[in-house]
Amino acid sequence: MGRYIARRLLIAIPTVIGVFLAVYFIIRLIPGDPAAIMLGAKATDEQIEMFRRQQGLDEPLSVQLGIALRNFMTGDLGVSIVSKRPVMALILERLPRTVELALWGIGLASVTGVILGVTAAVFRGRWPDYLITGASTLGMSLPSFYIALMLLTLFAVQLRWIPVIAVEGPGVSRFKTLFAPVLTMVIGNSALTLRTTRSSILEIMRENFIKTARAKGLDEWAVLFRHALKDAAIPIITVIGYNLAGCFGGAIIIETVFSRPGIGLLLIDAVNARDYAVVQGTSAFISIALIAVNLLTDAVYGLVDPRIRVEAAGG
Amino acid sequence: MKNMPGDSAEDILTLRNVCKYYKDRKGSGHLLKAVDGVSFSVRRGETFGLVGESGCGKSTLSRVILQLEPVSGGSVAFEGRDFARIGRRELRAMRKEMQIVFQDPYDSIDPRMTLEQAVEEPMAIHRYDRSLRKTRIKKLFEDVGLPVNMLNRYPHQLSGGQRQRLCIARSLALSPKLLVCDEAVSALDVSIQAQILNLMCDLKEEHNLTYIFISHNLGVIKFISDRIAVMYFGKIVELASRNEIFTHYLHPYTCALLSAAPVLHPSMRRERMLLTGDVPNLYNPPAGCVFCDRCVYADSRCRSEAPVLRGYGEDRQAACHYAGELPLKVNWGGAPC
Amino acid sequence: MLNIFREYKMIAIGCFILSVILLTAVFAPALTSYGYEQVDLKNRNDAPSAAHLMGTDSFGRDVWTRVLYGARVSLTVSLTSVAVGLAIGAFWGLLCGFFKGKIDFAVGRVMDIFMSFPALLFSLLIGAALGPSILNMCLSVGIPLAPIFYRVTRGAALSVGEHAYIASAKSMGSGSFRTMFRHVLPNTAPQLFVVLSSSMGGAITAESALGYLGLGIPKPTPSWGMVINEGRQYIFDAPWVTGFGGLMVVLTILGFNLLGDGLRDYLDPKLKG
């Protein structure tokens, strides 16, 4: 098991470096002098000159890359031009809000998805099944910004129940700031979990060991929970991992709509303000978080499916 | 070594010490020896039968002969020209000379091609004249007994036997000299098998073909072959003419293989040589004779020293230390043909 | 064709929705009496009425008209983006699935890196690097789609490569590239169609999401993303602008998703629930 995770980690390291390089070069592709871009339009020539020397921008590209990579490895993502603060500090300050949103959103979406999926599978071919699968098809077609906007209009404008800007304050509880963003994630992410749960349970229910369990007299519910759901776990975990990885992209949109100051909003604000140091740092950070989530999913696989453990130990 | 294959004019294909190893997928460094040191030559105009259990390396050998996969060692020479020493362009030209018919007729034709396109394809690759292609397609359809009005159908509309006829037509399109039939009739019903085998016998005369016929079915091999090689675990253990091998087999494995074949009539029931033990571990073969773990006659020499294929008179070779000395006895009752 | 529609209702509904949207886009001028840039400052942010089916935006422009014309741009951009993603992804996927070995490993690692970006972030970065234009929009939406096509094509090519007809073509002297494009590619097409349909939905989403974030197609071309973005500032006074703009996006995605799901059932009846 340890070896299996170690191998995954080993594969992830070059990917992390590759991600950083990709972001670095894409930012470099932005036309114009990097120093002028990094400092923004208001910078004077002297400031630009000083910045060039500070950042080593007058060195050859390979040296610059080396410096950037070394800084990156030590967790130094540069300094924001707008707020003059280290990018890493900005990210860490905003991180809890995004994590909070992601965990609640994906957690509740997964629970909802699994419950609805099991319900649909149990009532297969009857009206609850059609209702649930129909709703999931619609749910999968709703872009998260659209869900978010509609919820914002409904709860903030029509009902005046939640704040327009999702920051805690007098009369605004944490629950109220979280409610609509989390609901957006639940609507957007439960559809896929639901479908996967339903189809894998239906598939497993056809298999022989389920027939055996039924034959030895277990009642339907015991068959469902003790056998079927356990074996449906792998595809469900895959989808939850996929959703968790996808929610970083989703957070960009959701946080923008609800003006919730997390990492996503940090990125969008930086893009709009042309604060490229922050764009570079945040992008790299988000991608690495995504790699970490994928690693985590792999590790959970190993815990759930003994076959993977054995294979890894053998190899 | 007087019985090593040579480049005599009557040999169309010569294999010298051909090996094909695969690396273990898990990267443990073990080698899977699918084909290990196979040497023989095929004479022009004969049908060379290759028989063995499934998994013994027959199909790998056929893929290596056709250069679908590179050899790991040794050489394959067609009409005296070593494949390893010719350029890519020459290899493509040489592919015209040797063709293959695969086991599964459902899998060996691209499902998106009409029958006409399937037969035309090899000629298109080798840039045959367009009008020549059309007349040739018709001729080939007649030769293999397919109605010409099927030209625009798709493979899924055919029966298994018809598909195999199509595969044969396709493989004859380039007028090859050598045809490798890899389990060509195994996937077919027994009655269809007979039809296809008869067709192949006829085509051989008509098109001056040489066959390498690979099968696990002794009956089929006996029916069609002139000479037969018995393969076990990547090695040729015995090679002889058809009559010799069915009466004077020298290798205990051949004996076991023959006795495993079903007989038609209860009165022909005979003593059988039953094998014990398992097929050797692919990644960790025995040090001596590959057959020693399952051979009732095996002794310490067999377990430590691998026997080589040696000649025993005209056209008889066997790879056993005690070939000719063992009391092998099976009444070969004959399979249905 | 009719039989397919009868048996696979999702394909029928999906095709119906998409053809209606396509027709409204093609015949946009016939379906409205306004121009998409026709400003009417007296009727700003009007609620939907008989005169303005979907209301008016902050310049008094008819939202229905802008949505109709926006369909032309959004559908074209999405189609081009998917073509970009398909061309890049399917080419490398085919190459890797066919040749396997070292090239497969190398390209696979590069794709790992691409797949580590959330698609939206990737689009954002490419968009920022290339600057705003319709063509760059297609690239920034299309390139992040490539890894999906790569994965599906590679998987399909690997399994097609196992078939004897590939070995058969090779034994006839068919060169690698000929075998790849004549035999492997056509036989991966079914799987590609399914992804094609669902990634059209993804491209529409991406275009409108980027538009919403204000990083979409530059003015004055109306696209759905732009309609949504322009309505965003007035979401409290005139929610119908963003609402109807987004509704078209939802309908289109729904159409592509239904088509994709139906195609998957049709191609692999085993998966049908």
Side-chain angles (χ1 to χ4, degrees), chain A residues 142-205:
Chain A
L142 291 169
S144 59
F145 75 87
Y146 193 65
I147 306 174
L149 276 173
M150 293 302 109
L151 291 179
L152 184 72
T153 323
L154 179 65
F155 290 115
V157 184
Q158 304 294 326
L159 301 175
R160 301 199 172 276
W161 191 59
I162 58 162
V164 174
I165 293 171
V167 189
E168 289 145 65
V172 182
S173 65
R174 201 161 128 207
F175 173 73
K176 279 190 177 174
T177 66
L178 261 177
F179 174 75
V182 167
L183 188 58
T184 309
M185 270 203 180
V186 172
I187 295 176
N189 286 296
S190 55
L192 196 61
T193 318
L194 181 168
R195 283 176 156 218
T196 313
T197 309
R198 177 181 175 275
S199 62
S200 37
I201 285 184
L202 287 180
E203 198 166 304
I204 285 160
M205 289 302 237

Side-chain angles (χ1 to χ4, degrees), chain A residues 3-68:
Chain A
R3 228 174 117 181
Y4 165 73
I5 292 175
R7 214 167 66 182
R8 291 290 138 126
L9 264 173
L10 218 62
I11 297 174
I13 291 171
T15 314
V16 168
I17 294 174
V19 161
F20 176 75
L21 293 181
V23 175
Y24 184 83
F25 281 113
I26 292 175
I27 299 287
R28 274 311 185 81
L29 272 179
I30 296 170
D33 177 13
I37 291 168
M38 286 278 186
L39 289 179
K42 278 176 266 170
T44 61
D45 284 352
E46 292 92 74
Q47 279 174 316
I48 292 176
E49 198 45 49
M50 207 169 91
F51 183 80
R52 286 174 73 93
R53 232 173 298 122
Q54 260 175 10
Q55 299 286 312
L57 287 174
D58 44 359
E59 307 271 357
L61 189 67
S62 56
V63 178
Q64 288 180 43
L65 191 62
I67 295 170

